[in-house]
Amino acid sequence: MTRNPVWLIVKREISTRITGKPFIVSLTVLIILILGAGIGYRMLSESDVFDSKTRIALTPATESYRPALAGLSRQPGMIDLEVTKAPSNEAAEMLVREEKADHALVVTDGSVEILSVDAVSPTLEFGLKALAQATTVTDYITELGGQPGELAKRMSASSVSVRMLDESKDGFDIARIVPAIFILFVLFMAIVTGSGLIAQGTVEEKSSRIVEILLTTVKPFHLIVGKVLGVGSLILINVCVLMITGWGALKIAGLSLPEGISWASLTVWPFLFFLVGFFAYAFIYAGFAALASRSEDVQMAIMPVSVFLVIIFYVLYAAVLVVPQSPLLTVLSYVPLVSCFAAPLALLIGTLTWWQALISFVIHIAVTCGLAWGAATLYKRSVLNFGARQSVFKVLRAKQ
């Protein structure tokens, strides 16, 4: 029974590279770094380093500020306050000096004072001054015969609303921007690394004449497809392991996904677009690398594709940071060889829907099939040429 030649090449690539030190060491180091980051964050979060609570001591004269301080602590941008009791001004001062409290709120000669060893946060100082003024207003209303509760009710009913004149401008959503940039880095590094391995392997086989032996048993098309699938399998193992490791690190750190971001937009869609993107670029890199006969020439052979990738990376990076809500990401999500990066970002940002992403995915699959055929043709016509580096157009125009 004849074995599938493509499967033979796939097994050869996997067995050759998966046992190599670079693959094992690099994957192990990345796993240790990711898990170490999660463990380190958990340890820091459980220590006093991330303890942002400000302890404030109240005396019997300032105990009435407790409800207002609790409400103040819940305000956006305000320091998290932890209120403690002190029986007297002297006791409150002692708590601050012994660092059992960060600040103390006392009444001295009829005026409210903040006792502190270190500098008081401007935000906290402003909030406490506002509370003191509100207390003064309340006392004054009571003296005039008014009802402070009615005043508080009317003030709480008063609000200022914001009406956007341009509803399409949603602003800078950091909860979506950061994961989008992370996904862009992961996709770019995975595709460049995997495609580079294929290009380097192609030239090494050609320069050592091993390719002549291989082509006596398999066809050039089988060889290039097997190489892409074999290296692609290793890169997929890397990506899957790192994704699982990252999920474990999040759990260890006690973190969760930002609101509005689903696991599908963070894992499934980037993974699918990584597949089509990797195979497209892997075939291109293999075809271009076959033009070179020496390892020294491989960088020059693949330079056009590498420069294109770098340009796309920086364009998308700038688009995510500067104009995330613009139509640019949506438009680039339909451009083959760019959509594998742009579509996952647009999904995370929210400018692309799932059905639009599906259309982009299908377009990229069709283009990848065409690129695979063209790269296989280029590979077949140039892999046995051991002379000077050839031109792409010259090889494609040559009659076979």
Side-chain angles (χ1 to χ4, degrees):
M1 182 177 179
T2 304
R3 303 186 67 179
N4 190 322
V6 174
W7 175 241
L8 291 175
I9 300 299
V10 170
K11 287 183 63 178
R12 172 181 174 271
E13 290 292 330
I14 294 177
S15 60
T16 301
R17 297 183 184 278
I18 200 170
T19 57
K21 287 185 178 180
F23 177 83
I24 298 174
V25 171
S26 61
L27 184 59
T28 304
V29 169
L30 287 174
I31 291 174
I32 293 174
L33 287 176
I34 294 173
L35 291 178
I39 295 171
Y41 184 91
R42 183 62 176 265
M43 293 174 64
L44 290 174
S45 63
E46 292 178 351
S47 66
D48 294 335
V49 176
F50 287 169
D51 187 9
S52 60
K53 286 188 177 182
T54 299
R55 297 163 298 176
I56 184 166
L58 299 180
T59 63
T62 56
E63 182 64 27
S64 59
Y65 284 86
R66 182 183 291 270
L69 286 175
L72 185 66
S73 180
R74 290 192 293 266
Q75 296 298 318
M78 181 55 67
I79 299 172
D80 190 8
L81 300 176
E82 180 179 333
V83 180
T84 59
K85 295 181 65 175
S88 63
N89 288 4
E90 292 76 12
E93 181 178 343
M94 187 61 65
L95 288 176
V96 175
R97 290 186 182 279
E98 294 177 353
E99 297 184 355
K100 295 180 180 179
D102 299 301
H103 312 294
L105 199 62
V106 301
V107 176
T108 305
D109 298 329
S111 62
V112 180
E113 289 184 337
I114 304 174
L115 305 182
S116 180
V117 173
D118 300 320
V120 181
S121 167
T123 305
L124 177 60
E125 185 176 357
F126 176 80
L128 292 175
K129 285 182 178 179
L131 287 180
Q133 291 171 358
T135 302
T136 302
V137 171
T138 300
D139 294 340
Y140 182 67
I141 292 174
T142 303
E143 292 175 4
L144 294 177
Q147 298 180 357
E150 181 64 25
L151 174 63
K153 182 179 178 181
R154 292 187 181 186
M155 290 182 65
S156 62
S158 302
S159 62
V160 177
S161 61
V162 178
R163 180 168 62 91
M164 298 295 293
L165 298 180
D166 188 354
E167 297 295 338
S168 62
K169 296 183 178 180
D170 297 329
F172 189 89
D173 188 357
I174 191 67
R176 294 179 180 271
I177 299 299
V178 172
I181 293 176
F182 175 76
I183 289 297
L184 176 61
F185 272 100
V186 170
L187 291 178
F188 179 78
M189 292 305 299
I191 289 176
V192 170
T193 302
S195 301
L197 285 175
I198 291 175
Q200 193 65 39
T202 300
V203 177
E204 288 174 356
E205 290 176 352
K206 188 174 178 180
S207 61
S208 62
R209 299 296 182 106
I210 294 177
V211 68
E212 294 181 281
I213 301 175
L214 293 173
L215 292 180
T216 59
T217 55
V218 297
K219 296 180 180 179
F221 179 77
H222 295 155
L223 182 56
I224 186 175
V225 172
K227 287 181 69 65
V228 171
L229 291 177
V231 176
S233 301
L234 294 179
I235 298 299
L236 287 179
I237 292 173
N238 264 300
V239 172
C240 291
V241 170
L242 293 180
M243 286 174 62
I244 295 172
T245 306
W247 178 82
L250 283 176
K251 292 297 183 181
I252 293 174
L255 299 175
S256 58
L257 289 181
E259 186 178 354
I261 296 181
S262 64
W263 278 107
S265 61
L266 195 61
T267 57
V268 177
W269 282 109
F271 184 78
L272 292 176
F273 276 100
F274 161 74
L275 284 178
V276 293
F278 170 77
F279 287 122
Y281 282 104
F283 277 111
I284 295 174
Y285 266 71
F288 274 68
L291 299 173
S293 299
R294 302 179 305 168
S295 299
E296 295 81 2
D297 298 331
V298 66
Q299 294 300 325
M300 289 298 297
I302 64 176
M303 182 177 290
V305 190
S306 300
V307 171
F308 176 77
L309 269 171
V310 171
I311 292 174
I312 290 302
F313 173 81
Y314 280 108
V315 168
L316 293 175
Y317 182 76
V320 170
L321 282 181
V322 181
V323 285
Q325 297 294 336
S326 72
L328 178 60
L329 282 178
T330 306
V331 173
L332 292 178
S333 298
Y334 294 101
V335 179
L337 296 179
V338 182
S339 59
C340 57
F341 300 106
L345 305 184
L347 278 167
L348 278 172
I349 299 297
T351 60
L352 196 72
T353 61
W354 69 268
W355 62 268
Q356 290 174 321
L358 186 60
I359 294 175
S360 172
F361 184 71
V362 172
I363 293 174
H364 209 307
I365 288 179
V367 173
T368 299
C369 293
L371 287 172
W373 176 84
T377 302
L378 186 64
Y379 182 87
K380 179 176 65 176
R381 295 183 180 183
S382 56
V383 73
L384 292 178
N385 177 31
F386 299 99
R389 185 168 59 89
Q390 296 176 294
S391 167
V392 175
F393 301 104
K394 183 179 179 180
V395 172
L396 292 178
R397 286 198 303 264
K399 294 182 179 180
Q400 297 293 318

